[in-house]
Amino acid sequence: MTDQVLAAIDSSQFSAGVCDYAVWAAKRLEAPLSFMHVIDNHPQTSEPDLTGNLGLGTREHLLEKLSDIEEQRAKLAREQGRLLLDDAKQRALGGGIGEPETMQRNGTLVETLVEQENNIRLLVVGKRGETAHQASGHLGSNLERVVREMHRPILMVPKAFTHPEKVMMAFDGSKTARKGIEMLAKSPLFNGVTCHVVIVGAETAEHRSQLDWALTTLDSAGHVAEGAIRAGYVEETLRAYKEEHGIDMLVMGAYGHSRIRHLLVGSTTTSMLRKAQMPVLILR
């Protein structure tokens, strides 16, 4: 299946939000919707070295029991995944999706998603997965790796769905950011949604020209577009603008050539993304 909306679900508290945002996106894009659950069979801890510590018969018996336990764990994981996929499918059917697909895969999440990449139009994932720490400021390590490895748009979502009505894009005038504006303008995902464009920096002729280009591009595509140039630190400035205008989705490019780049691909993930309580659409 090509050009699908793919929603990666697990047993975390974010799966309901993943399902609902995926349904919203699939309906907007008029694209097929698939749910995927990945079973990571890689052991979380190394197996103990029992050689030399036990008698031969005892050692073989213990290894047999350990093997049986691992088999049972794998069976339970598969069954849990099937139940999660069934629930997601029913939720999508109730949301108006005609034929949602489900798939279960073995492996690591990142590697599995990369394998599926050519079939993905939009990937929907939760801010954190089932194994991540639940502190509000924590960002799942899998998500950071997915952002780095994938070359498709990624929608990172919170626990609960809110219908997007105002989106904000941090814009720095770079080639990637311009491509993001063009993607925003062409995508039916934001039809009827007010698009805000914010440049963080000084009020200069160059910045004003860049902002005018972005607003004209969006306006020509039929979007209601607003914009501003604000001086200050990127994270704080964007957060303040979001609060002032009631923004309910943030749109960002994963790669750029300014300070905005470090929001996603710096050596550490900045507070802007970690503390985001709204969905973030990451464009590639």
Side-chain angles (χ1 to χ4, degrees), residues 59-77:
R59 185 166 63 246
E60 289 181 349
H61 177 66
L62 181 56
L63 290 173
E64 232 176 75
K65 290 184 69 175
L66 289 172
S67 177
D68 290 342
I69 291 171
E70 288 303 316
E71 187 176 336
Q72 287 299 314
R73 284 178 179 170
K75 184 177 179 181
L76 287 171

Side-chain angles (χ1 to χ4, degrees), residues 89-106:
K89 184 174 183 177
Q90 291 305 313
R91 197 176 185 103
L93 289 169
I97 299 295
E99 298 179 356
E101 298 290 332
T102 61
M103 64 180 92
Q104 191 173 69
R105 297 288 186 268
N106 292 300

Side-chain angles (χ1 to χ4, degrees), residues 110-254:
V110 178
E111 291 172 354
T112 305
L113 288 174
V114 170
E115 289 173 1
Q116 297 288 325
E117 187 171 43
N118 289 338
N119 300 325
I120 298 174
R121 182 172 181 180
L122 174 67
L123 172 65
V124 185
V125 295
K127 182 180 178 183
R128 296 189 299 277
E130 60 191 51
T131 60
H133 190 273
Q134 291 303 303
S136 62
H138 186 84
L139 188 71
S141 59
N142 269 335
L143 177 58
E144 290 188 274
R145 290 189 59 207
V146 168
V147 171
R148 293 171 188 272
E149 297 292 334
M150 295 288 288
H151 297 85
R152 292 290 186 272
I154 301 167
L155 181 59
M156 181 198 82
V157 304
K159 298 175 185 177
F161 176 79
T162 300
H163 195 283
E165 295 183 356
K166 296 180 180 179
V167 303
M168 176 179 73
M169 181 169 184
F171 186 65
D172 62 6
S174 67
K175 181 179 179 181
T176 302
R178 283 176 172 260
K179 181 180 178 183
I181 290 291
E182 291 168 346
M183 291 175 68
L184 209 64
K186 295 175 183 177
S187 175
L189 198 62
F190 298 114
N191 288 346
V193 176
T194 302
C195 299
H196 291 253
V197 181
V198 181
I199 292 178
V200 180
E203 176 74 51
T204 65
E206 182 181 359
H207 281 161
R208 178 54 57 184
S209 175
Q210 291 170 344
L211 181 61
D212 288 345
W213 174 87
L215 296 179
T216 299
T217 300
L218 291 167
D219 183 70
S220 298
H223 295 283
V224 176
E226 300 181 20
I229 300 171
R230 296 281 182 90
Y233 292 104
V234 174
E235 295 91 347
E236 289 82 352
T237 303
L238 293 177
R239 192 177 299 117
Y241 188 94
K242 178 203 75 167
E243 296 296 334
E244 289 173 23
H245 295 271
I247 302 298
D248 42 34
M249 181 179 287
L250 179 63
V251 181
M252 303 192 75

Side-chain angles (χ1 to χ4, degrees), residues 7-37:
I9 62 170
D10 56 21
S11 59
S12 73
Q13 298 177 353
F14 290 81
S15 284
V18 170
C19 291
D20 293 342
Y21 276 103
V23 167
W24 168 79
K27 291 169 73 174
R28 284 271 178 159
L29 297 172
E30 298 183 350
L33 173 59
S34 294
F35 295 100
M36 183 174 71
H37 177 257

